[in-house]
Every structure is written in structure tokens, then in C-alpha cells.
Amino acid sequence: MVCSWLDYKLRLGSFFMDQALLLSEDFNFTLVNFRPVKFKIKNFKKIYKIEKDIHENKITLLYIYYPVFKLFKNNYFLKLIERKAFRILNNYLKKNNISVDLLHAQSIYDAAFWTLSYHEEYKIPFLITEHNQFTLKKVNRQKIKKLDAIFSKSKFNLVVSDDLIRQFANNHFFGEFVNVGNTVDETLFNHKNKTQSDYFEILTVGAYTPVKDQITTLKALKVIDNLNNQKIKFTWIGINAWGTDFQEEVNELISSFDFKNIQIEIVKIASKTEIVSALQKADVFVFTSICETFGVSPLEALFVGVPVVTTQCGGINEFMNDRNGVVVPVKDFNAVAENVIKIINKELQFDSELISKEAIDKFGSNAFKEKMIPLYKQALEQ
């Protein structure tokens, strides 16, 4: 797997690692992330070096550092940099008796471009999965020209939601796409250990960023705070999940709402085990993103049997229905508040076991294997 983003310590790209682990009984995986470093004296020791991590003592992760030059972007020179990075990678693979039969690019920017170059150099078949928002904004002409080659030479063009197919169409790419969705580890995220809190527990998970639009969540909480005097707790997990410290900014934002009746807990970053613990006592999961390609966090909530109140942000269409929660318009904080209050007052009730079962049946490990294993085998046979 060539991954557009990957960091074991920061848990970036954790679902790439989990998917590789899930499929490791049938295939041997090495995950690769090509990392640019500025061509400066202080970086010389890193350039063209490989760092290694191991996930769950089974999956090897390789970070390959290559130099970038701010002003010098000659195509021939860039090709030399690519080939040098590939030689470093291949020497490592050869030394460790790893042969490559198939490449899987996880997202187009920039994994698919590295994968296309590797394919052209060594004739190894590849497929791609797009996870991220797809746009041509700020993409240089050289890469735009390569996109047609990526789509045409890939054995399969996979997406995690139908919404991504629409995003490709908006950018004038109308090829064949296979929707494989995403997956969550049901051995960790499940309904077995649900607990009861002294509070009505509202939970959200996500990095603090405009596209996640947590301000709409806070506006909804303010409406609830003004209308309700029950013991309510709101927990926001992962404000720093994308690597930037937003603690001070988030604290100031929350203070500006002057909540009277709602207890607030902010968690900068959390492990999956810690997220599961929070979900097991949650009464509702609130998700007010503007635009998603899938929405792993609300799906994790469903796996644990927690009903979800979410905005119509795109990717959630893969798993939301009237048995597991409510979908409201983007930025409509009044609709978010109204439905959370209905759940507080038991005007809206959901079957937690049914929520969990339906989510796991559709997106659990068995379902994901049934989608991916035939695709890998077909790609290898063609």
C-alpha cells in the first residue's frame, strides 16, 4: 500500500493499517509513505532514508524521505528524485525478501502519483482507493495530465462512497468506480460493554477544523443549554488529531458560549480504546461536518450502538437510516438541538443492539473482506 498520509505515532492513516491487518491472512502487506523534506543542511541526514514502524507486530510501515526544492521543478530532475527514492525502497525490499506483486494507492494526492511512476518504472499492476475530498484546486498541470493515466491504467478505481463519484464527475472524470466503503474493527467497537452515566452524554470525535464545523455543534448545545436543566455532559475528542495544538483556541471558543448547565470535556487526542470507552457511555453522537467522503467517526458510534445526529455532509449516506439516527441540513444547529432534545426526552428512541448489528453486518470485517479480496485477486490475475 502506498499511503497519502501515514504516521503510526500520531495514528494518521490508522484505517490503512487496520485494513492491511484485516486482510493479512490472505495477502502480505508493506505500507509505504513518501515524505518530502526541504533541501536544507539540517535535513541532510534524513534525505533518502527509510524509517520503519510495525503495526500490531504484523504490518511493516516504511517512511521514505525525499528532497524537495522550492524553486526548481524541472520534470527530468523530479524524475531522478523519484527513481532514487524507488531504488532506496527496492533495496530495502530486496534485503528483507519482499517481492511486490500489486500496488494499492490509498488516495490520489499524492499516493497515486507515486504509484503510477512506480508502475511505469517496474510494470507492477496497481489499483487506487480514494478516501479524501477530490478537487483540482491548487493541483499543478503536470499532475492533472497524469490523472487520466492513473484512472486508465489502474486495475480498479475504488471509492469509499457514492459522494466521491459525484465529486469526480464535478471535475469531469466519468470512469467506472467501485464503491467499497470503509470498515471499523468490531472486536473493539461493539455493543457488548455499554454503560450508564450519571449524565446524559453527548459525544463528538474530530479534529478542530472549519470543514468539520464544530461551531454548529456548540451552537446546538447552547440552544439545549438554554432550554434544558438536566445533567448533560458534552465530550469532544480529538481536537488535535491532525497534529496541530488547538487547545487554547478551542477553550476560548467554548468560553464564548458561556454554558450554564452543560459540563464540557475536551480531549486533545485519544487512542481507539479511549474512544470506545467514551462511546460505551454515550447517549448520542453529534456530527456537524460540512463535507465528508465517508465519516468513520459516526460509523464507529453506530458499531457501539450509539444513535447519531448528523448533518447531511455526503459520506454518511452510506450508513445512516431512520433506525440509527437523524440527518439534518448542514449548519442547521436548531435541527441538531431539536433532535438531541427529543432523544433526551425519549420522544425519539433507538434500539442500540439493532444499530450495532446493522452497522457491523454492512461494514464489519467480513463484509470488507468480501469486497476487497476478490478485487485484489482479479487485479493480480489480469
Side-chain angles (χ1 to χ4, degrees):
M1 284 186 183
V2 183
C3 305
S4 291
W5 59 93
L6 189 70
D7 194 303
Y8 185 76
K9 293 175 183 176
L10 295 176
R11 291 184 283 278
L12 291 175
S14 60
F15 48 81
F16 303 149
M17 307 175 213
D18 292 343
Q19 289 177 16
L21 187 64
L22 184 61
L23 298 167
S24 63
E25 291 182 5
D26 298 272
F27 306 94
N28 296 317
F29 286 90
T30 300
L31 273 59
V32 177
N33 176 235
F34 292 93
R35 293 186 168 184
V37 288
K38 291 181 180 178
F39 193 74
K40 294 182 177 180
I41 294 175
K42 66 178 182 178
N43 294 330
F44 276 3
K45 290 183 179 180
K46 271 193 171 183
I47 291 173
Y48 291 127
K49 300 297 182 184
I50 290 182
E51 288 182 4
K52 175 183 173 182
D53 272 324
I54 300 291
H55 176 58
E56 298 289 333
N57 295 316
K58 288 186 177 181
I59 306 299
T60 299
L61 285 65
L62 303 178
Y63 313 121
I64 302 171
Y65 293 88
Y66 67 95
V68 291
F69 303 84
K70 187 175 181 180
L71 299 176
F72 194 64
K73 296 185 178 180
N74 178 274
N75 288 347
Y76 176 77
F77 191 66
L78 292 176
K79 202 68 181 175
L80 290 178
I81 292 174
E82 278 185 354
R83 287 174 176 166
K84 174 71 172 178
F86 292 155
R87 284 198 298 273
I88 299 296
L89 172 60
N90 287 344
N91 287 339
Y92 176 92
L93 296 175
K94 185 177 180 180
K95 183 179 178 180
N96 289 273
N97 298 314
I98 299 170
S99 60
V100 182
D101 302 299
L102 182 66
L103 303 165
H104 186 170
Q106 297 283 16
S107 276
I108 287 173
Y109 306 119
D110 276 326
F113 295 102
W114 282 100
T115 300
L116 176 65
S117 294
Y118 197 93
H119 162 79
E120 291 174 341
E121 191 81 11
Y122 301 103
K123 311 307 177 188
I124 295 171
F126 73 96
L127 51 81
I128 65 171
T129 300
E130 184 56 277
H131 297 264
N132 225 349
Q133 306 295 337
F134 183 81
T135 176
L136 297 182
K137 185 179 180 180
K138 295 183 179 179
V139 179
N140 63 47
R141 291 182 181 180
Q142 181 185 353
K143 286 187 174 181
I144 291 174
K145 287 180 180 179
K146 284 187 175 181
L147 285 170
D148 283 325
I150 288 170
F151 290 126
S152 64
K153 294 182 179 181
S154 171
K155 296 296 184 181
F156 293 103
N157 298 315
L158 312 180
V159 291
V160 296
S161 69
D162 288 341
D163 199 66
L164 265 169
I165 299 175
R166 287 188 284 271
Q167 290 181 32
F168 280 120
N170 283 338
N171 287 278
H172 304 284
F173 292 99
F174 301 98
E176 292 297 318
F177 297 96
V178 182
N179 183 350
V180 294
N182 215 319
T183 188
V184 171
D185 181 4
E186 70 265 31
T187 64
L188 187 60
F189 292 86
N190 56 64
H191 184 261
K192 292 177 184 176
N193 297 307
K194 286 285 288 179
T195 59
Q196 193 68 41
S197 169
D198 292 334
Y199 292 85
F200 182 88
E201 299 266 358
I202 303 171
L203 177 68
T204 195
V205 176
Y208 176 52
T209 175
V211 75
K212 299 293 183 184
D213 192 27
Q214 288 98 350
I215 290 176
T216 291
T217 297
L218 296 174
K219 287 180 178 178
L221 289 173
K222 187 61 180 176
V223 174
I224 296 168
D225 191 57
N226 290 336
L227 297 177
N228 192 81
N229 58 6
Q230 295 188 39
K231 290 178 68 176
I232 297 174
K233 181 180 178 182
F234 170 64
T235 303
W236 177 357
I237 294 176
I239 62 169
N240 295 346
W242 288 356
T244 304
D245 188 356
F246 288 113
Q247 182 75 64
E248 186 175 341
E249 188 174 341
V250 168
N251 286 343
E252 290 178 3
L253 175 63
I254 290 172
S255 295
S256 70
F257 281 87
D258 192 25
F259 293 108
K260 304 296 185 185
N261 302 306
I262 298 179
Q263 180 179 325
I264 308 290
E265 181 179 358
I266 302 299
V267 180
K268 291 194 289 187
I269 194 165
S271 67
K272 288 190 176 183
T273 302
E274 290 167 330
I275 293 172
V276 170
S277 295
L279 285 168
Q280 285 169 342
K281 60 183 180 181
D283 294 289
V284 63
F285 187 93
V286 173
F287 195 64
T288 54
S289 181
I290 295 171
C291 188
E292 292 289 321
T293 54
F294 186 79
V296 172
S297 293
L299 183 63
E300 289 174 344
L302 296 180
F303 267 52
V304 182
V306 181
V308 172
V309 175
T310 176
T311 46
Q312 178 55 275
C313 52
I316 54 92
N317 295 333
E318 304 298 316
F319 50 77
M320 289 300 299
N321 57 59
D322 58 7
R323 296 180 299 281
N324 61 22
V326 181
V327 180
V328 303
V330 168
K331 288 190 171 291
D332 192 341
F333 63 89
N334 284 310
V336 174
E338 177 186 345
N339 284 284
V340 171
I341 289 170
K342 285 181 179 179
I343 294 173
I344 292 173
N345 295 333
K346 300 191 184 304
E347 297 171 47
L348 266 179
Q349 296 189 57
F350 300 92
D351 184 332
S352 289
E353 286 192 44
L354 179 64
I355 289 174
S356 178
K357 182 181 183 305
E358 287 189 346
I360 291 171
D361 285 348
K362 189 172 181 182
F363 294 103
S365 57
N366 288 335
F368 190 73
K369 285 179 180 179
E370 288 173 2
K371 294 171 188 173
M372 289 304 304
I373 290 174
L375 291 170
Y376 278 156
K377 288 183 176 179
Q378 288 181 55
L380 288 164
E381 291 169 358
Q382 290 177 5

